Each structure stands twice: as C-alpha cells, then as structure tokens.
Amino acid sequence: MRIAMQLTLLLLAALLAFGACSEEDEEMFIKIGAAVSETGRYAEEGKHTRQGYIAWQEWVNNEQGGITVGDELYKVELILYDDRSDTDTNAQLVDRLIDEYKVNFLLGPYSSTLTKSAIDVADERGVIMVEGTGASESLFEQSYENLFAVLTPAGNYTQSALRSLADAGAKSVVIAHAEELFPTSAAEGARRWATEYGLEVLSVESYPRDVTDVTDIITKFKDADPDVFIGCGYFNDTILFVRAAKELDFNPRAMALTVGPTDPELIKEIGEDANYLIGPTQWEASMSYEGEYFGSASDYAKRYEERWGGPPPYQAASATAAALALHVAIEDADSLDPDAVRASLRDLDISTFYGRIKFDSTGKNVSRQMGAVQIQGRETAVVAPDETAVAKLIYPAPRWDER
C-alpha cells in the first residue's frame, strides 16, 4: 500500500510538472492573427498575402529561433482565417481573433476595403495591426491609433508609369475604376498625376465592385481614342478589360492596370495578350533593396520561390515586410505591451529587402517610391523609375491585329 501511495504521489508530481511546463510553453508564444481572403473576389491576391505571412513565420521560428523579448525567445503562432473577400465576415473574424484566440497583434487582410473592416474592430479594441496591402489614403485620414502600413499609398500607384508615358510622348488618358476605396483612391491619384505631367484626361468612368462586363466602358473609351488607358481595380478586372479591349479592337497606345501585371498568374490566364501591359509595383526582385533581415530583394525572392514554387508578386513581399516591421518593433520595444510596441512602430526606421520602412504620424510609409513594370515577351520587367529600371518602356504598344 505504501509503495502504491508513493507511486501515486510521483505520478501526480509528474503531471503537475508537465502542466507547469505546458503553461510555460504557452506563455512563450506570441499570437498573431489575420483574416485574409482565401476564396471570393480577392482569392488570388489573398493567396500571395497569406503565403507572405507564412514565409515570415517559418523564417522567424525556424531560422531566428523566434522573437527576442528581454531574456526570452518567443515563437510565433500565426492564426489565419478566410474572410471570403467579405467585409462583414472579415470584421467578425477579427473580433473572434481578439476575443477567442486572444491574439497579441494583427496583420492586415488584402485590399483597402477589408483593411478598413479589420482596423475598425482592431482600433476600437486597442489591438495593433500592421498591413501591407491596404493602400487607400482614406484609411489614414481616420485617426486610427493602431494602423501601420508598409506600402506606398494608392494615390501614388500610377505616378511612375504616367511620368514615363508622358516622357515617351503620350498626350491623353482615360481612367476606369471600381467603386471601392483603393481603386477610387488610385483613380484620383491617376487624374492628379496625369494633369501634373501634362496629359489630358478625356474621361473617368466608375463601375460596380462585382462587375462582370465592361463592354460599355470600353466602347465609350474607344470613341475617345486616348493614348493611355488606366484601369484601377483588381486582378479579375484586369482580365475583363484586356479581353474586352481585344474583342472590341480598342487600341490605346498603352494600357496600365493597378493589379495584375506583376502577378505571374496573369500571363498564365491570358497568355500573349498580357504583353505590353503596364502596372505599378510596390516591389520587384530586381530592385536594389536590402537589409539585415532576409538579405536583398533577390535573396527574398529565391527563398520564396523555393518555398512556394513560384516567384513572389509584390503582395507577398508586402505581407512579409508588414510582419517583419511588427517583429522588429517588438524587439526594439523589448516588450509585448501594446503601448510600448506602438511607440516603437512610430519610431521605426529600417532598411529591408522591401525598401525603407518609416511611418509618418498617420501610420503611412512615406519613405518609398512606387515602381512600374511592363510585360515584355511574357516576362515582367521594371521600366520605371530610371534608377530601378531593367528594361526600356515599349511605347506605343502594337495594335491587337499587329501582334
């Protein structure tokens, strides 16, 4: 009986010790959550955003050992939900991440519209969110205390492309945009930069969020006979515009679209019709950015391609950069306290594979300039600005019947 009692006590002690270790292990994780589109309208862009976050998590856990806070090393637990490209779903999931999963911090969804849904919830709850794909200036006019964005704002998306097109001889432009935060902001910027560079704006047309047919817009633009067509929308919108332009024999001398030309999936989807398309880019592997973490832009691209089997579009790099900015801010703060990390983010100034990251008082990263790419021979090449260009802009583009 005595031996049995001793064994029982030893077993209880072991169980208590195991429980204490489990509790201690739980405390050694930083929980970071995000609601990012895996399905719905933003599925393609959301995929790259999710993969960018996972690329950072795997790197920080497996190669850095975690995030250093004081004398402790914390692993990252990354909790991702599919918001189905829906604002209500996004808000509900962000609320769940905060309430049920007790996340320490948040990373952003894809798109400005969903970013607003997420930060409305996060800011009210005092939870910091760092993001890399919500670019609309209106996000930074709301006095959010907890929003930080590593990317260049939407109003500057078309600046480099329009300057290069004006220098190449373009004289006129038409602009189409989806009726959402980011596309509207990008279109307003396009109008502003077109005027700045001496291009006449012949027409501006908006279209519904879930558009499936852009024939009327392309027909109207064809009658205007512009030198440049600017499409401010998302990946699916780009496909619609290119296919309608070809079908209706709409031949602007250049087509520039805010989302799509940087994504390798676009060439797979529309083939040779992708040639000569121009698009803005937050980041490309050929750019000369580099920093302490991940090395150079090309180093990051190689790492990403080895992991995911394809080159990273800028959405992936933006996502990784957002997570990295949060990571560095936590280590600089030497704390998980939100006030300390928030102050650290406001003071952050680092050079990275994504470029310089330094936030202004509204949470925008104002230290970077957008680039512009053009698809040439089914390959994406940076054509502007001059200091990052690897190819010369082809202008004017051949007519559809001459390709």
Side-chain angles (χ1 to χ4, degrees), residues 200-265:
E200 181 183 2
V201 179
L202 302 177
S203 180
V204 178
E205 295 289 328
S206 65
Y207 56 90
R209 178 179 187 269
D210 295 316
V211 68
T212 58
D213 186 349
V214 294
T215 301
D216 289 346
I217 292 176
I218 294 299
T219 299
K220 182 173 183 177
F221 285 170
K222 182 178 179 180
D223 291 340
D225 190 26
D227 289 331
V228 179
F229 164 82
I230 302 287
C232 300
Y234 296 102
F235 185 85
N236 291 337
D237 304 357
T238 291
I239 293 172
L240 288 174
F241 279 123
V242 172
R243 286 176 173 167
K246 183 177 182 179
E247 181 178 345
L248 297 171
D249 198 34
F250 172 48
N251 287 285
R253 293 156 187 80
M255 292 185 71
L257 301 115
T258 53
V259 176
T262 60
D263 191 333
E265 291 299 319

Short mmCIF file of all heavy atoms in Angstrom, two decimals, residues 200-265:
data_model
loop_
_atom_site.label_atom_id
_atom_site.label_comp_id
_atom_site.label_asym_id
_atom_site.label_seq_id
_atom_site.Cartn_x
_atom_site.Cartn_y
_atom_site.Cartn_z
N GLU A 200 -3.95 65.09 -71.00
CA GLU A 200 -5.36 65.48 -70.95
C GLU A 200 -6.20 64.28 -70.51
O GLU A 200 -6.12 63.20 -71.09
CB GLU A 200 -5.83 65.96 -72.32
CG GLU A 200 -7.30 66.40 -72.33
CD GLU A 200 -7.78 66.80 -73.70
OE1 GLU A 200 -7.00 66.70 -74.67
OE2 GLU A 200 -8.97 67.22 -73.80
N VAL A 201 -7.02 64.47 -69.48
CA VAL A 201 -7.92 63.41 -69.00
C VAL A 201 -9.22 63.51 -69.79
O VAL A 201 -10.02 64.43 -69.59
CB VAL A 201 -8.17 63.53 -67.49
CG1 VAL A 201 -9.13 62.43 -67.03
CG2 VAL A 201 -6.86 63.47 -66.72
N LEU A 202 -9.46 62.56 -70.70
CA LEU A 202 -10.61 62.62 -71.59
C LEU A 202 -11.89 62.10 -70.94
O LEU A 202 -12.99 62.56 -71.25
CB LEU A 202 -10.33 61.80 -72.86
CG LEU A 202 -9.10 62.22 -73.68
CD1 LEU A 202 -8.92 61.26 -74.86
CD2 LEU A 202 -9.26 63.66 -74.18
N SER A 203 -11.75 61.13 -70.03
CA SER A 203 -12.93 60.54 -69.42
C SER A 203 -12.53 59.75 -68.17
O SER A 203 -11.45 59.15 -68.14
CB SER A 203 -13.64 59.61 -70.41
OG SER A 203 -14.79 59.03 -69.84
N VAL A 204 -13.42 59.76 -67.17
CA VAL A 204 -13.26 58.93 -65.97
C VAL A 204 -14.57 58.19 -65.75
O VAL A 204 -15.63 58.83 -65.65
CB VAL A 204 -12.90 59.77 -64.73
CG1 VAL A 204 -12.78 58.86 -63.51
CG2 VAL A 204 -11.61 60.55 -64.94
N GLU A 205 -14.51 56.87 -65.69
CA GLU A 205 -15.71 56.06 -65.51
C GLU A 205 -15.53 55.13 -64.30
O GLU A 205 -14.46 54.57 -64.10
CB GLU A 205 -15.98 55.20 -66.76
CG GLU A 205 -16.30 55.99 -68.00
CD GLU A 205 -17.68 56.64 -67.95
OE1 GLU A 205 -18.59 56.04 -67.32
OE2 GLU A 205 -17.85 57.72 -68.52
N SER A 206 -16.60 54.98 -63.53
CA SER A 206 -16.59 54.03 -62.42
C SER A 206 -17.46 52.83 -62.77
O SER A 206 -18.32 52.90 -63.66
CB SER A 206 -17.10 54.69 -61.14
OG SER A 206 -18.46 55.07 -61.28
N TYR A 207 -17.25 51.74 -62.05
CA TYR A 207 -18.04 50.54 -62.29
C TYR A 207 -18.27 49.79 -60.97
O TYR A 207 -17.50 49.98 -60.02
CB TYR A 207 -17.37 49.63 -63.33
CG TYR A 207 -15.96 49.21 -63.01
CD1 TYR A 207 -15.70 48.04 -62.27
CD2 TYR A 207 -14.86 49.96 -63.44
CE1 TYR A 207 -14.40 47.64 -61.98
CE2 TYR A 207 -13.56 49.57 -63.16
CZ TYR A 207 -13.35 48.41 -62.43
OH TYR A 207 -12.06 48.03 -62.14
N PRO A 208 -19.27 48.94 -60.89
CA PRO A 208 -19.61 48.26 -59.64
C PRO A 208 -18.51 47.31 -59.18
O PRO A 208 -17.72 46.80 -59.99
CB PRO A 208 -20.89 47.48 -59.98
CG PRO A 208 -21.43 48.13 -61.19
CD PRO A 208 -20.25 48.66 -61.95
N ARG A 209 -18.49 47.07 -57.91
CA ARG A 209 -17.47 46.22 -57.27
C ARG A 209 -17.38 44.84 -57.91
O ARG A 209 -16.30 44.34 -58.17
CB ARG A 209 -17.81 46.08 -55.78
CG ARG A 209 -16.89 45.19 -54.99
CD ARG A 209 -17.33 45.19 -53.52
NE ARG A 209 -16.39 44.47 -52.68
CZ ARG A 209 -16.45 43.19 -52.40
NH1 ARG A 209 -17.42 42.46 -52.91
NH2 ARG A 209 -15.56 42.62 -51.60
N ASP A 210 -18.51 44.22 -58.18
CA ASP A 210 -18.52 42.85 -58.71
C ASP A 210 -18.84 42.82 -60.20
O ASP A 210 -19.58 41.97 -60.67
CB ASP A 210 -19.52 42.00 -57.93
CG ASP A 210 -19.12 41.83 -56.48
OD1 ASP A 210 -17.93 41.57 -56.23
OD2 ASP A 210 -19.98 41.98 -55.60
N VAL A 211 -18.26 43.73 -60.94
CA VAL A 211 -18.52 43.84 -62.37
C VAL A 211 -18.15 42.54 -63.09
O VAL A 211 -17.19 41.85 -62.74
CB VAL A 211 -17.73 45.02 -62.97
CG1 VAL A 211 -16.24 44.75 -62.94
CG2 VAL A 211 -18.22 45.36 -64.37
N THR A 212 -18.96 42.20 -64.10
CA THR A 212 -18.67 41.01 -64.92
C THR A 212 -18.59 41.36 -66.41
O THR A 212 -18.20 40.53 -67.22
CB THR A 212 -19.74 39.92 -64.72
OG1 THR A 212 -21.03 40.46 -65.04
CG2 THR A 212 -19.73 39.42 -63.28
N ASP A 213 -18.95 42.60 -66.75
CA ASP A 213 -18.96 43.02 -68.16
C ASP A 213 -18.57 44.49 -68.23
O ASP A 213 -19.23 45.35 -67.64
CB ASP A 213 -20.36 42.81 -68.76
CG ASP A 213 -20.40 43.09 -70.26
OD1 ASP A 213 -19.41 43.63 -70.80
OD2 ASP A 213 -21.43 42.78 -70.89
N VAL A 214 -17.48 44.79 -68.94
CA VAL A 214 -17.01 46.18 -69.05
C VAL A 214 -17.14 46.69 -70.48
O VAL A 214 -16.49 47.66 -70.87
CB VAL A 214 -15.55 46.30 -68.56
CG1 VAL A 214 -15.46 46.01 -67.07
CG2 VAL A 214 -14.62 45.38 -69.35
N THR A 215 -17.99 46.05 -71.27
CA THR A 215 -18.15 46.41 -72.68
C THR A 215 -18.54 47.87 -72.87
O THR A 215 -17.98 48.57 -73.73
CB THR A 215 -19.22 45.51 -73.35
OG1 THR A 215 -18.81 44.15 -73.24
CG2 THR A 215 -19.40 45.88 -74.80
N ASP A 216 -19.48 48.37 -72.08
CA ASP A 216 -19.94 49.75 -72.23
C ASP A 216 -18.81 50.75 -72.00
O ASP A 216 -18.68 51.74 -72.73
CB ASP A 216 -21.10 50.04 -71.28
CG ASP A 216 -22.38 49.32 -71.68
OD1 ASP A 216 -22.44 48.84 -72.83
OD2 ASP A 216 -23.30 49.25 -70.85
N ILE A 217 -18.00 50.48 -70.97
CA ILE A 217 -16.89 51.39 -70.67
C ILE A 217 -15.87 51.38 -71.80
O ILE A 217 -15.42 52.44 -72.27
CB ILE A 217 -16.22 50.99 -69.34
CG1 ILE A 217 -17.16 51.23 -68.17
CG2 ILE A 217 -14.91 51.77 -69.14
CD1 ILE A 217 -16.62 50.77 -66.83
N ILE A 218 -15.50 50.20 -72.27
CA ILE A 218 -14.50 50.11 -73.34
C ILE A 218 -15.02 50.74 -74.63
O ILE A 218 -14.28 51.41 -75.36
CB ILE A 218 -14.08 48.64 -73.57
CG1 ILE A 218 -13.34 48.10 -72.35
CG2 ILE A 218 -13.22 48.51 -74.81
CD1 ILE A 218 -12.07 48.83 -72.01
N THR A 219 -16.31 50.57 -74.92
CA THR A 219 -16.91 51.19 -76.11
C THR A 219 -16.81 52.71 -76.03
O THR A 219 -16.45 53.39 -77.00
CB THR A 219 -18.38 50.77 -76.25
OG1 THR A 219 -18.44 49.35 -76.41
CG2 THR A 219 -19.03 51.43 -77.46
N LYS A 220 -17.12 53.26 -74.86
CA LYS A 220 -17.04 54.71 -74.67
C LYS A 220 -15.60 55.20 -74.81
O LYS A 220 -15.33 56.23 -75.45
CB LYS A 220 -17.59 55.09 -73.30
CG LYS A 220 -17.60 56.58 -73.03
CD LYS A 220 -18.32 56.91 -71.73
CE LYS A 220 -18.38 58.41 -71.52
NZ LYS A 220 -19.14 58.77 -70.30
N PHE A 221 -14.67 54.46 -74.24
CA PHE A 221 -13.27 54.86 -74.31
C PHE A 221 -12.73 54.74 -75.74
O PHE A 221 -11.89 55.54 -76.15
CB PHE A 221 -12.43 54.00 -73.36
CG PHE A 221 -12.57 54.36 -71.90
CD1 PHE A 221 -12.03 53.55 -70.92
CD2 PHE A 221 -13.24 55.51 -71.50
CE1 PHE A 221 -12.14 53.87 -69.58
CE2 PHE A 221 -13.36 55.85 -70.15
CZ PHE A 221 -12.81 55.02 -69.19
N LYS A 222 -13.20 53.76 -76.47
CA LYS A 222 -12.76 53.61 -77.85
C LYS A 222 -13.12 54.85 -78.66
O LYS A 222 -12.32 55.34 -79.47
CB LYS A 222 -13.37 52.37 -78.48
CG LYS A 222 -12.91 52.12 -79.92
CD LYS A 222 -13.52 50.85 -80.48
CE LYS A 222 -13.06 50.64 -81.92
NZ LYS A 222 -13.63 49.40 -82.52
N ASP A 223 -14.31 55.38 -78.44
CA ASP A 223 -14.74 56.60 -79.14
C ASP A 223 -13.87 57.79 -78.78
O ASP A 223 -13.66 58.69 -79.59
CB ASP A 223 -16.20 56.90 -78.81
CG ASP A 223 -17.16 55.87 -79.41
OD1 ASP A 223 -16.76 55.17 -80.36
OD2 ASP A 223 -18.29 55.76 -78.90
N ALA A 224 -13.33 57.80 -77.54
CA ALA A 224 -12.50 58.92 -77.10
C ALA A 224 -11.10 58.87 -77.71
O ALA A 224 -10.41 59.89 -77.79
CB ALA A 224 -12.39 58.91 -75.57
N ASP A 225 -10.66 57.68 -78.14
CA ASP A 225 -9.36 57.47 -78.78
C ASP A 225 -8.19 58.03 -77.94
O ASP A 225 -7.44 58.90 -78.40
CB ASP A 225 -9.35 58.11 -80.16
CG ASP A 225 -8.12 57.70 -80.97
OD1 ASP A 225 -7.56 56.61 -80.71
OD2 ASP A 225 -7.70 58.47 -81.85
N PRO A 226 -8.00 57.53 -76.73
CA PRO A 226 -6.92 58.04 -75.87
C PRO A 226 -5.57 57.40 -76.20
O PRO A 226 -5.50 56.32 -76.82
CB PRO A 226 -7.37 57.60 -74.48
CG PRO A 226 -8.05 56.28 -74.75
CD PRO A 226 -8.77 56.46 -76.08
N ASP A 227 -4.53 58.03 -75.77
CA ASP A 227 -3.21 57.41 -75.85
C ASP A 227 -3.05 56.34 -74.77
O ASP A 227 -2.41 55.32 -75.00
CB ASP A 227 -2.11 58.47 -75.68
CG ASP A 227 -2.00 59.40 -76.88
OD1 ASP A 227 -2.33 58.95 -78.00
OD2 ASP A 227 -1.61 60.56 -76.70
N VAL A 228 -3.59 56.60 -73.59
CA VAL A 228 -3.36 55.73 -72.44
C VAL A 228 -4.68 55.36 -71.78
O VAL A 228 -5.53 56.22 -71.54
CB VAL A 228 -2.44 56.41 -71.40
CG1 VAL A 228 -2.22 55.50 -70.18
CG2 VAL A 228 -1.11 56.80 -72.02
N PHE A 229 -4.84 54.08 -71.48
CA PHE A 229 -5.96 53.60 -70.67
C PHE A 229 -5.41 53.22 -69.29
O PHE A 229 -4.43 52.47 -69.18
CB PHE A 229 -6.60 52.37 -71.31
CG PHE A 229 -7.51 51.60 -70.38
CD1 PHE A 229 -8.81 52.01 -70.15
CD2 PHE A 229 -7.03 50.48 -69.69
CE1 PHE A 229 -9.64 51.31 -69.29
CE2 PHE A 229 -7.85 49.76 -68.83
CZ PHE A 229 -9.16 50.19 -68.62
N ILE A 230 -6.04 53.74 -68.24
CA ILE A 230 -5.69 53.39 -66.87
C ILE A 230 -6.86 52.64 -66.25
O ILE A 230 -7.98 53.16 -66.18
CB ILE A 230 -5.39 54.64 -66.01
CG1 ILE A 230 -4.26 55.47 -66.62
CG2 ILE A 230 -5.08 54.24 -64.57
CD1 ILE A 230 -2.89 54.86 -66.46
N GLY A 231 -6.62 51.42 -65.78
CA GLY A 231 -7.65 50.63 -65.11
C GLY A 231 -7.30 50.46 -63.64
O GLY A 231 -6.28 49.85 -63.31
N CYS A 232 -8.13 51.02 -62.78
CA CYS A 232 -7.88 50.96 -61.34
C CYS A 232 -8.85 49.96 -60.72
O CYS A 232 -10.02 50.30 -60.46
CB CYS A 232 -8.04 52.34 -60.70
SG CYS A 232 -6.90 53.58 -61.37
N GLY A 233 -8.38 48.74 -60.52
CA GLY A 233 -9.23 47.70 -59.98
C GLY A 233 -8.38 46.58 -59.45
O GLY A 233 -7.29 46.82 -58.91
N TYR A 234 -8.83 45.35 -59.63
CA TYR A 234 -8.14 44.19 -59.09
C TYR A 234 -7.86 43.18 -60.21
O TYR A 234 -8.08 43.46 -61.39
CB TYR A 234 -8.96 43.57 -57.96
CG TYR A 234 -9.11 44.51 -56.78
CD1 TYR A 234 -10.29 45.23 -56.56
CD2 TYR A 234 -8.05 44.71 -55.91
CE1 TYR A 234 -10.41 46.10 -55.50
CE2 TYR A 234 -8.16 45.58 -54.83
CZ TYR A 234 -9.35 46.27 -54.63
OH TYR A 234 -9.45 47.13 -53.57
N PHE A 235 -7.35 42.03 -59.84
CA PHE A 235 -6.88 41.03 -60.80
C PHE A 235 -7.95 40.64 -61.81
O PHE A 235 -7.72 40.65 -63.02
CB PHE A 235 -6.41 39.78 -60.02
CG PHE A 235 -5.79 38.72 -60.88
CD1 PHE A 235 -4.45 38.78 -61.23
CD2 PHE A 235 -6.54 37.65 -61.34
CE1 PHE A 235 -3.87 37.79 -62.02
CE2 PHE A 235 -5.97 36.65 -62.12
CZ PHE A 235 -4.64 36.73 -62.46
N ASN A 236 -9.14 40.32 -61.32
CA ASN A 236 -10.22 39.91 -62.23
C ASN A 236 -10.64 41.04 -63.16
O ASN A 236 -11.01 40.80 -64.32
CB ASN A 236 -11.43 39.43 -61.42
CG ASN A 236 -11.15 38.12 -60.71
OD1 ASN A 236 -10.28 37.36 -61.13
ND2 ASN A 236 -11.88 37.85 -59.64
N ASP A 237 -10.59 42.28 -62.67
CA ASP A 237 -10.93 43.44 -63.50
C ASP A 237 -9.96 43.57 -64.67
O ASP A 237 -10.35 43.90 -65.80
CB ASP A 237 -10.90 44.73 -62.68
CG ASP A 237 -11.81 44.67 -61.45
OD1 ASP A 237 -12.49 43.64 -61.27
OD2 ASP A 237 -11.82 45.63 -60.68
N THR A 238 -8.69 43.33 -64.39
CA THR A 238 -7.67 43.42 -65.44
C THR A 238 -7.97 42.45 -66.58
O THR A 238 -7.89 42.81 -67.76
CB THR A 238 -6.28 43.14 -64.85
OG1 THR A 238 -5.91 44.22 -63.99
CG2 THR A 238 -5.23 42.97 -65.94
N ILE A 239 -8.33 41.23 -66.23
CA ILE A 239 -8.67 40.24 -67.25
C ILE A 239 -9.86 40.70 -68.08
O ILE A 239 -9.87 40.61 -69.32
CB ILE A 239 -8.96 38.88 -66.60
CG1 ILE A 239 -7.67 38.33 -65.98
CG2 ILE A 239 -9.51 37.88 -67.62
CD1 ILE A 239 -7.86 37.09 -65.14
N LEU A 240 -10.89 41.24 -67.41
CA LEU A 240 -12.07 41.74 -68.12
C LEU A 240 -11.70 42.85 -69.08
O LEU A 240 -12.15 42.86 -70.24
CB LEU A 240 -13.10 42.24 -67.12
CG LEU A 240 -13.85 41.20 -66.29
CD1 LEU A 240 -14.73 41.89 -65.25
CD2 LEU A 240 -14.71 40.31 -67.18
N PHE A 241 -10.88 43.80 -68.65
CA PHE A 241 -10.53 44.94 -69.51
C PHE A 241 -9.70 44.50 -70.72
O PHE A 241 -9.94 44.97 -71.83
CB PHE A 241 -9.77 45.99 -68.70
CG PHE A 241 -10.65 46.88 -67.88
CD1 PHE A 241 -10.48 46.98 -66.51
CD2 PHE A 241 -11.67 47.61 -68.47
CE1 PHE A 241 -11.29 47.79 -65.75
CE2 PHE A 241 -12.50 48.44 -67.71
CZ PHE A 241 -12.31 48.52 -66.34
N VAL A 242 -8.75 43.62 -70.52
CA VAL A 242 -7.90 43.19 -71.63
C VAL A 242 -8.73 42.43 -72.66
O VAL A 242 -8.62 42.66 -73.87
CB VAL A 242 -6.73 42.33 -71.12
CG1 VAL A 242 -5.96 41.72 -72.29
CG2 VAL A 242 -5.80 43.18 -70.26
N ARG A 243 -9.57 41.51 -72.19
CA ARG A 243 -10.38 40.72 -73.12
C ARG A 243 -11.38 41.59 -73.87
O ARG A 243 -11.59 41.41 -75.08
CB ARG A 243 -11.08 39.61 -72.36
CG ARG A 243 -10.12 38.49 -71.95
CD ARG A 243 -10.77 37.43 -71.11
NE ARG A 243 -9.84 36.31 -70.88
CZ ARG A 243 -10.02 35.35 -69.98
NH1 ARG A 243 -11.11 35.36 -69.22
NH2 ARG A 243 -9.14 34.37 -69.85
N ALA A 244 -11.98 42.57 -73.19
CA ALA A 244 -12.94 43.46 -73.86
C ALA A 244 -12.23 44.35 -74.86
O ALA A 244 -12.75 44.61 -75.96
CB ALA A 244 -13.69 44.29 -72.83
N ALA A 245 -11.05 44.85 -74.50
CA ALA A 245 -10.30 45.71 -75.41
C ALA A 245 -9.94 44.97 -76.70
O ALA A 245 -10.09 45.51 -77.81
CB ALA A 245 -9.03 46.21 -74.73
N LYS A 246 -9.51 43.74 -76.58
CA LYS A 246 -9.17 42.97 -77.76
C LYS A 246 -10.41 42.66 -78.59
O LYS A 246 -10.40 42.81 -79.83
CB LYS A 246 -8.48 41.66 -77.34
CG LYS A 246 -8.01 40.83 -78.54
CD LYS A 246 -7.26 39.59 -78.08
CE LYS A 246 -6.77 38.79 -79.28
NZ LYS A 246 -6.01 37.57 -78.87
N GLU A 247 -11.48 42.25 -77.94
CA GLU A 247 -12.70 41.89 -78.66
C GLU A 247 -13.29 43.08 -79.41
O GLU A 247 -13.79 42.94 -80.53
CB GLU A 247 -13.72 41.35 -77.66
CG GLU A 247 -15.04 40.91 -78.30
CD GLU A 247 -16.01 40.35 -77.29
OE1 GLU A 247 -15.59 40.02 -76.16
OE2 GLU A 247 -17.20 40.24 -77.63
N LEU A 248 -13.21 44.27 -78.80
CA LEU A 248 -13.79 45.47 -79.41
C LEU A 248 -12.77 46.26 -80.23
O LEU A 248 -13.09 47.35 -80.72
CB LEU A 248 -14.39 46.36 -78.31
CG LEU A 248 -15.56 45.74 -77.53
CD1 LEU A 248 -15.93 46.61 -76.35
CD2 LEU A 248 -16.76 45.53 -78.45
N ASP A 249 -11.57 45.73 -80.36
CA ASP A 249 -10.50 46.38 -81.12
C ASP A 249 -10.22 47.80 -80.60
O ASP A 249 -10.06 48.74 -81.37
CB ASP A 249 -10.84 46.43 -82.61
CG ASP A 249 -9.60 46.68 -83.48
OD1 ASP A 249 -8.51 46.20 -83.08
OD2 ASP A 249 -9.71 47.34 -84.51
N PHE A 250 -10.16 47.89 -79.27
CA PHE A 250 -9.79 49.14 -78.61
C PHE A 250 -8.27 49.16 -78.49
O PHE A 250 -7.68 48.29 -77.86
CB PHE A 250 -10.46 49.21 -77.24
CG PHE A 250 -10.02 50.35 -76.37
CD1 PHE A 250 -9.95 51.65 -76.86
CD2 PHE A 250 -9.68 50.13 -75.03
CE1 PHE A 250 -9.55 52.71 -76.04
CE2 PHE A 250 -9.30 51.17 -74.20
CZ PHE A 250 -9.21 52.47 -74.71
N ASN A 251 -7.63 50.15 -79.11
CA ASN A 251 -6.17 50.15 -79.24
C ASN A 251 -5.53 51.41 -78.68
O ASN A 251 -4.93 52.21 -79.41
CB ASN A 251 -5.78 50.01 -80.72
CG ASN A 251 -6.02 48.62 -81.25
OD1 ASN A 251 -5.26 47.70 -80.94
ND2 ASN A 251 -7.08 48.46 -82.03
N PRO A 252 -5.60 51.62 -77.37
CA PRO A 252 -4.80 52.71 -76.79
C PRO A 252 -3.33 52.37 -76.97
O PRO A 252 -2.95 51.20 -77.13
CB PRO A 252 -5.20 52.69 -75.31
CG PRO A 252 -5.64 51.29 -75.06
CD PRO A 252 -6.30 50.83 -76.33
N ARG A 253 -2.49 53.36 -76.95
CA ARG A 253 -1.07 53.13 -77.15
C ARG A 253 -0.39 52.52 -75.93
O ARG A 253 0.74 52.05 -76.01
CB ARG A 253 -0.41 54.44 -77.58
CG ARG A 253 -0.89 54.89 -78.97
CD ARG A 253 -0.73 56.40 -79.19
NE ARG A 253 -1.34 56.79 -80.46
CZ ARG A 253 -2.66 56.99 -80.63
NH1 ARG A 253 -3.51 56.81 -79.61
NH2 ARG A 253 -3.14 57.36 -81.80
N ALA A 254 -1.11 52.56 -74.81
CA ALA A 254 -0.62 51.91 -73.60
C ALA A 254 -1.82 51.57 -72.71
O ALA A 254 -2.80 52.33 -72.66
CB ALA A 254 0.35 52.82 -72.84
N MET A 255 -1.73 50.42 -72.05
CA MET A 255 -2.73 50.03 -71.06
C MET A 255 -2.00 49.81 -69.74
O MET A 255 -1.09 48.98 -69.64
CB MET A 255 -3.48 48.75 -71.46
CG MET A 255 -4.38 48.92 -72.68
SD MET A 255 -5.37 47.43 -73.04
CE MET A 255 -6.54 47.44 -71.68
N ALA A 256 -2.41 50.56 -68.72
CA ALA A 256 -1.80 50.43 -67.39
C ALA A 256 -2.89 50.04 -66.40
O ALA A 256 -3.95 50.67 -66.35
CB ALA A 256 -1.15 51.75 -66.96
N LEU A 257 -2.63 49.00 -65.62
CA LEU A 257 -3.64 48.46 -64.70
C LEU A 257 -3.02 48.27 -63.32
O LEU A 257 -1.89 47.78 -63.19
CB LEU A 257 -4.18 47.13 -65.24
CG LEU A 257 -4.80 47.31 -66.63
CD1 LEU A 257 -4.02 46.54 -67.66
CD2 LEU A 257 -6.26 46.94 -66.64
N THR A 258 -3.78 48.65 -62.29
CA THR A 258 -3.18 48.72 -60.96
C THR A 258 -2.86 47.37 -60.36
O THR A 258 -1.97 47.25 -59.52
CB THR A 258 -4.11 49.47 -59.98
OG1 THR A 258 -5.42 48.89 -60.02
CG2 THR A 258 -4.21 50.94 -60.35
N VAL A 259 -3.59 46.32 -60.72
CA VAL A 259 -3.34 44.99 -60.17
C VAL A 259 -3.36 43.97 -61.32
O VAL A 259 -4.28 44.00 -62.14
CB VAL A 259 -4.39 44.59 -59.11
CG1 VAL A 259 -4.15 43.16 -58.64
CG2 VAL A 259 -4.35 45.55 -57.93
N GLY A 260 -2.36 43.12 -61.37
CA GLY A 260 -2.34 42.08 -62.39
C GLY A 260 -1.01 41.95 -63.10
O GLY A 260 -0.44 40.85 -63.16
N PRO A 261 -0.46 43.03 -63.67
CA PRO A 261 0.77 42.89 -64.44
C PRO A 261 1.96 42.36 -63.66
O PRO A 261 2.90 41.83 -64.25
CB PRO A 261 1.02 44.32 -64.94
CG PRO A 261 -0.35 44.89 -65.08
CD PRO A 261 -1.11 44.34 -63.90
N THR A 262 1.95 42.49 -62.33
CA THR A 262 3.05 41.95 -61.54
C THR A 262 2.83 40.49 -61.14
O THR A 262 3.73 39.86 -60.58
CB THR A 262 3.25 42.77 -60.25
OG1 THR A 262 2.05 42.72 -59.47
CG2 THR A 262 3.60 44.21 -60.57
N ASP A 263 1.66 39.96 -61.42
CA ASP A 263 1.31 38.61 -60.96
C ASP A 263 1.56 37.59 -62.08
O ASP A 263 0.96 37.70 -63.15
CB ASP A 263 -0.17 38.58 -60.55
CG ASP A 263 -0.55 37.30 -59.81
OD1 ASP A 263 0.09 36.26 -60.04
OD2 ASP A 263 -1.51 37.35 -59.02
N PRO A 264 2.42 36.60 -61.87
CA PRO A 264 2.67 35.60 -62.90
C PRO A 264 1.42 34.87 -63.37
O PRO A 264 1.37 34.37 -64.50
CB PRO A 264 3.64 34.62 -62.21
CG PRO A 264 4.28 35.42 -61.13
CD PRO A 264 3.23 36.38 -60.67
N GLU A 265 0.39 34.84 -62.54
CA GLU A 265 -0.85 34.16 -62.92
C GLU A 265 -1.54 34.86 -64.08
O GLU A 265 -2.30 34.23 -64.82
CB GLU A 265 -1.80 34.08 -61.72
CG GLU A 265 -1.33 33.16 -60.62
CD GLU A 265 -1.19 31.72 -61.09
OE1 GLU A 265 -2.06 31.24 -61.85
OE2 GLU A 265 -0.20 31.06 -60.69
#
